[in-house]
Amino acid sequence: MELRDIGIFLTLAEELHFGRTAERLHVTPSRVSHAIKKQERRIGAPLFERTSRTVRLTPLGQQLRDDLLPAHQRIQQAVDRAAAEARTGSGTLRAGCTTPWCADLLLRAADVFRGRHAGWTVGIREIQFNDLFGSLHRDELDLQLIEFPVHEAGTAAGPVLFRERRALMVPARHPLARRESVSLEDLADVPLITLEHELPKPVADIHFPPRTPMGRPVPRGPSYTFWPEVPALVAAGLGASIVAARAARYHDRPGIAFIPFRDGPTLDYGVLLRADKQAPLVPAFVDLLRELADSDGGE
């Protein structure tokens, strides 16, 4: 069955009217009728019940529609994407991130992306916590990698790329630094360094919980505006910070220790997009990010 004939079948299955189907596809009703008869001869059974007043799918036609529709939609999306790319010969896709491990993923993706899409480059920008979504709202970015969940008007959540175990970054002299692991209950025993900028409550509760699971208050330490302040505050003995476990590879320094949590949720990193518009090659770049993240197996 040719792709064009599949399109005719699926359109008729939706419209259930030969005239409307022909008008929608810019062909004649006889062309629609010929294509359907050709498909029925090949299959060996009717796909539609026709009367002078109605057109209905047979049970076999319903099954064929349900089997073909998802694959046809994927093919059409691929064709549309290729056409969009052909219309955009060159340009810069703008991506942001909040962590160095997300920056590493973006840099790898940018290198592959340039090889796949001649004439295109990827610009990468670090996003500060005091302006998490401003760059997207100001149309300075096409997408960003960020910790989920996100509750921000005007944005759309893309796929989660990887999930990270959490750790507690503590002063090296703190008693918790001698532990092999910590629990959320241990947060009651050390001040938690917090972000000066206010976050939506569901997000803040993951990164800066006000209480432990048993209801004990979590003491508050000093606040910060930019991430590089945090390791310095911890090394000075002023508090602790909940971080991704792999932060130990990027932010280790004298005076601090990273202790993994044995309970609690993961930190989930995903793609955040603008809800109102999307650059032509953004879907291809998101697919590439997912491909590389899957190949890393969460690393």
Side-chain angles (χ1 to χ4, degrees), residues 118-136:
W120 277 82
T121 60
V122 180
I124 300 172
R125 174 190 298 187
E126 182 181 2
I127 303 300
Q128 297 297 333
F129 286 98
N130 65 334
D131 189 27
L132 273 177
F133 311 109
S135 296
L136 272 180

Side-chain angles (χ1 to χ4, degrees), residues 1-15 21 24-25 31-32 34-40 42-43 47-48 57 61 63-76:
M1 188 181 295
E2 297 180 1
L3 184 60
R4 178 66 171 174
D5 290 340
I6 292 175
I8 291 175
F9 166 75
L10 290 174
T11 304
L12 182 59
E14 180 180 344
E15 295 288 350
T21 298
R24 183 167 153 187
L25 297 176
R31 171 71 177 90
V32 175
H34 174 75
I36 297 302
K37 290 178 180 178
K38 176 182 174 183
Q39 294 169 35
E40 290 176 331
R42 179 174 181 179
I43 290 172
L47 300 174
F48 294 90
L57 281 164
Q63 177 185 328
L64 183 61
R65 175 201 60 194
D66 294 344
D67 289 343
L68 286 177
L69 187 57
H72 186 264
Q73 289 174 337
R74 288 195 297 271
I75 291 171
Q76 190 60 54

